[in-house]
């Protein structure tokens, strides 16, 4: 089972991609860029370390580096059953202060959700088959809170404005626990009681 903290750590990956479909010091040496179960397990061990930090405030804490290849391997192997049908090749690209989320979606698998959120007026309602999906967002965090700023979003040839994506996310995530949906513009508390998560080139550093 994937813990709640694990879901908080990886939720933006599928959340931004899935809701988009409703409208359609020096750094240590990085491991190899290919995906593998070994890299997935490495990321899993780092999550266990972060959970240990969260459980025991007296534990001596130090920054934890998460490599892009480890994160993508974890999404590919450990979270495979959590990725919705019709969405494949999900990939996270880490850059300085920025995340890029990419994937390939079969729009037919999301027809009900697209119609519910977008209605018949959306250009994406006329598209079908597999389309590339991409979300680019700046990310800043400090003092235990993080915040995304969507730079661009696109399904196939159709761009979506940050304001429209924000509205899509809110409408597509309405539920009993969130009657107004999830506001991607609002600050949120970081998982694992971290003080800061810094995206860098091909890795992210969790700081305390």
């Amino acid at each position: 089972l994937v813990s709640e903290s694990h879901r908080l750590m990886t939720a933006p990956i599928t959340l931004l991609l899935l809701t988009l479909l409703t409208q359609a010091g020096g750094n240590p040496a990085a491991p190899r860029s290919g995906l593998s179960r070994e890299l997935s397990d490495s990321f899993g061990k780092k999550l266990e370390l972060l959970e240990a930090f969260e459980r025991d405030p007296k534990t001596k804490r130090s920054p934890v580096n998460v490599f892009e290849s480890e994160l993508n391997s974890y999404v590919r192997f450990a979270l495979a059953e959590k990725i919705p049908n019709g969405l494949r090749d999900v990939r996270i690209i880490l850059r300085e202060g920025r995340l890029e989320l990419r994937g390939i979606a079969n729009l037919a698998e999301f027809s009900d959700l697209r119609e519910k959120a977008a209605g018949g007026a959306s250009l994406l309602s006329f598209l079908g088959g597999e389309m590339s999906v991409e979300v680019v967002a700046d990310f800043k965090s400090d003092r235990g809170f993080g915040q995304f700023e969507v730079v661009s979003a696109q399904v196939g040839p159709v761009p979506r404005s940050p304001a429209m994506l924000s509205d899509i996310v809110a409408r597509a995530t309405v539920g009993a626990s969130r009657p107004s949906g999830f506001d991607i513009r609002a600050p949120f508390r970081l998982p694992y009681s971290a003080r800061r998560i810094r995206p860098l080139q091909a890795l992210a550093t969790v700081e305390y």
Side-chain angles (χ1 to χ4, degrees):
L1 294 178
V2 180
S3 71
E4 180 64 23
S5 292
H6 289 200
R7 285 192 291 270
L8 286 171
M9 193 76 170
T10 55
I13 300 165
T14 54
L15 176 63
L16 291 179
L17 287 173
L18 179 57
T19 54
L20 185 57
L21 292 172
T22 64
Q23 286 284 321
N27 297 329
R32 62 186 184 279
S33 58
L35 305 185
S36 70
R37 291 189 181 277
E38 180 184 9
L39 290 173
S40 175
D41 291 344
S42 175
F43 183 73
K45 291 177 181 178
K46 291 180 179 181
L47 289 177
E48 292 175 359
L49 178 61
L50 294 173
E51 288 182 337
F53 287 166
E54 185 176 35
R55 287 194 304 269
D56 187 359
K58 296 181 180 180
T59 300
K60 184 178 180 180
R61 304 176 181 184
S62 57
V64 177
N65 291 305
V66 174
F67 291 99
E68 183 179 288
S69 54
E70 293 175 320
L71 180 56
N72 282 305
S73 291
Y74 191 80
V75 172
R76 170 64 179 84
F77 294 104
L79 296 184
E81 295 182 357
K82 302 293 181 180
I83 302 298
N85 292 332
L87 185 61
R88 64 177 177 85
D89 296 344
V90 176
R91 182 185 176 197
I92 306 102
I93 299 173
L94 300 175
R95 303 193 188 279
E96 186 83 27
R98 175 169 290 187
L99 292 85
E100 298 180 12
L101 311 178
R102 299 178 183 178
I104 302 295
N106 185 339
L107 299 187
E109 294 284 345
F110 300 94
S111 58
D112 292 343
L113 189 57
R114 284 190 296 125
E115 291 172 3
K116 175 182 178 182
S122 172
L123 175 59
L124 288 179
S125 64
F126 297 101
L127 300 179
E130 291 194 333
M131 293 282 176
S132 61
V133 181
E134 179 179 296
V135 178
V136 178
D138 288 337
F139 178 73
K140 296 180 180 180
S141 63
D142 196 17
R143 300 180 182 180
F145 286 86
Q147 188 167 13
F148 288 102
E149 181 178 350
V150 177
V151 176
S152 64
Q154 189 159 332
V155 176
V158 184
R160 302 286 89 184
S161 71
M164 183 175 293
L165 178 62
S166 178
D167 180 62
I168 294 168
V169 172
R171 286 185 293 168
T173 55
V174 170
S177 61
R178 290 195 184 101
S180 299
F182 181 78
D183 185 358
I184 62 172
R185 298 165 297 182
F188 59 91
R189 187 174 294 279
L190 297 176
Y192 305 109
S193 302
R195 178 178 178 82
R196 187 182 297 109
I197 298 177
R198 291 195 301 134
L200 301 169
Q201 189 66 36
L203 81 154
T205 300
V206 182
E207 300 178 347
Y208 288 90

